[in-house]
Amino acid sequence: MAHSLLSTSVRLLLAASLFAAAAPVASAQRAAGPDRPADFLDPAFHKQRRELLRQTMPARSVAVLFAAPVRNRANDVDFQYHQSPDLFYLTGYDEPEAMLVLFKEPQTVGGQAGITEALFVQPRNPQREQWTGRRLGAAGAKEQLKLQYTADNKTFAGAGIRWADFGTVLFTDLPADVRDDSTDPADLFSLVATFRQQAGIPNDFNPKQVELYRTMQRYGVSNAANIKGYLENLSKEIPALAQDAYVQGYLKATTDAEREKALAARPSSRYDNAALNDALDVLRQAKTPEELQHLRKAIRISTVGQQEVMKAVRPDMGEMEIQGLHEYVYKKYGAEFEGYPSIVGAGANGCVLHYITNDKPQVKNDLLLMDCGAEYHGYTADVTRTVPPSGKFSPAQRQIYELVLAAQEAAFQACKPGAEFRAPHKAAEQIIADGLIKLGIIQKPEEARRYFPHGTSHYLGLDVHDRGTYGPLAANQVITVEPGIYIPEGSPCDQKWWNIGVRIEDDVLITPTGWENLSAEAPRTVADIEKMMAKKSALDDFKLPKL
């Protein structure tokens, strides 16, 4: 269907509407129970997000989004709950077992006419709340979140929504790995099952196929060679694709005109799990003033953490202890979570890009890479610093560090509105390739990929790898700039470079005229890091008894 991709007019509408309300929306206390933080985003922010999303929906459509599942840690103990960023973005609701339904045209829900939005939430339960915490319930959600219609989730099955009347049923990925609580007929498992049954979603509906068709439509002409190779390989691995008339029709096309004709023949379906993702990519990649306020706080907390750890770290400390220092600072400032598992790796561990074991008993004087970010009211930072535990870089460590720093400086200069998203990466990649050749670590530029294997930027916001279109950079986007060099033991170069891993990562706001480094408070240069590490730490006199 044509609605699987946002039209140009819809994208322009979103861009024009996103900042229509220039004045920041007030903060609000919006959580069950007394004495909770009072600086959450105001319900008016979430209402505006819902309205902008509704504007992208086609006529006669309905959109459904579910809460995140509860995740089990072990036996009868669950992980601390973390809401789906999309549902949080649209409602501010942070409890499980819930779903949001948006209607393009007003509907009758639960006997109430004129409804365009309905949130079904877990009911109040004093016995459960005594054990697991207070709940808003339908009345509390109505009062605090200001949605038009709220109800207990157990009423969803009988809400009377006329699913057969909708020409298009939109939804994001349906939770699949969800536990079924047999004692709760309206848990998330049951909500999803009821939705599938009432909306008539076929048992053989394949969301991966919809995603593949979307990719074909998006890149099937502009990047035909890569898409063709990708589809040919997939057809060999997945027998069903070899029989898929739409895919095979595209593969038979030999010119752009033939490809456009083949792509236009996409089979119609009233079920679409791609369009909402497209719309949310556009909405969430541009941050409002209210969102930037939370992001700035999360980032500032993280930079203070980097400063304090630089002052406190010693060679006899362990990775886990250092991780704890970062996360203590986060909690001290009221950050509810880490935005992702903290990466604290010394020496060889710093050469593992997403190393999260953090159990080396002593970091000694191995270069220490610390990729850590606080999450504040849903918004996460992502800041990396690499430091010498002794307080002084060795000559080899310093050479690699300053090469990465030079690459980051070049990447910063490429951060400007209108530049392609990969512009910072291309700038950093060139500097690193040239520098590694000069150091004798590689002989050809293409060999740099061995030591710099990741991209330089991703979006940042409610997710550490936030939603976005990866189109040209634009004002009010927040991205990371994080070049790195990682030389594990056994690499084909002089052994003096082995086990040196360096990443320098900052969080950058694209401004109307350029960029702003939001995490600049954390020292970056060799001189500034060594100066910070020479300072006295508040933890120097904190001694625990030996066990």
Side-chain angles (χ1 to χ4, degrees), residues 329-407:
V329 173
Y330 301 170
K331 300 300 184 184
K332 177 71 174 175
Y333 287 113
E336 297 92 338
F337 296 97
E338 302 79 56
Y340 51 95
S342 297
I343 299 168
V344 180
N349 295 335
C351 296
V352 179
L353 301 184
H354 285 173
Y355 169 80
I356 59 173
T357 309
N358 303 346
D359 65 354
K360 188 174 183 177
Q362 290 190 339
V363 297
K364 300 181 180 178
N365 198 33
D366 291 332
L367 207 55
L368 178 64
L369 188 155
M370 304 179 294
D371 186 340
C372 306
E375 180 183 308
Y376 187 81
H377 292 359
Y379 290 84
T380 180
D382 189 3
V383 181
T384 307
R385 291 295 184 263
T386 307
V387 304
S390 69
K392 293 289 183 180
F393 288 86
S394 72
Q397 291 171 348
R398 180 171 185 148
Q399 284 179 287
I400 298 299
Y401 187 92
E402 291 192 328
L403 175 54
V404 175
L405 185 65

Side-chain angles (χ1 to χ4, degrees), residues 1-4 58 166-171 200-202 205-206 209-210 213 266-273:
M1 294 175 65
H3 307 304
S4 65
F166 300 114
T168 307
V169 180
L170 306 163
F171 48 96
I201 299 175
F205 176 79
N206 186 350
Q209 183 185 57
V210 177
Y213 286 2
R266 176 177 175 175
S268 62
S269 171
R270 67 188 293 258
Y271 305 106
D272 190 330
N273 71 317

Side-chain angles (χ1 to χ4, degrees), residues 279-291:
L280 288 164
D281 284 348
V282 174
L283 277 174
R284 283 179 50 185
Q285 74 180 353
K287 303 302 186 284
T288 68
E290 304 95 320
E291 292 181 286

Side-chain angles (χ1 to χ4, degrees), residues 80 84 109 173 197 215 263 269 273 286 300 348 409 436 471 535:
Q80 184 177 355
S84 156
V109 181
D173 292 341
Q197 185 271 324
T215 301
L263 292 171
S269 171
N273 71 317
R300 180 121 197 265
E409 291 291 347
L436 291 175
K535 291 184 177 182

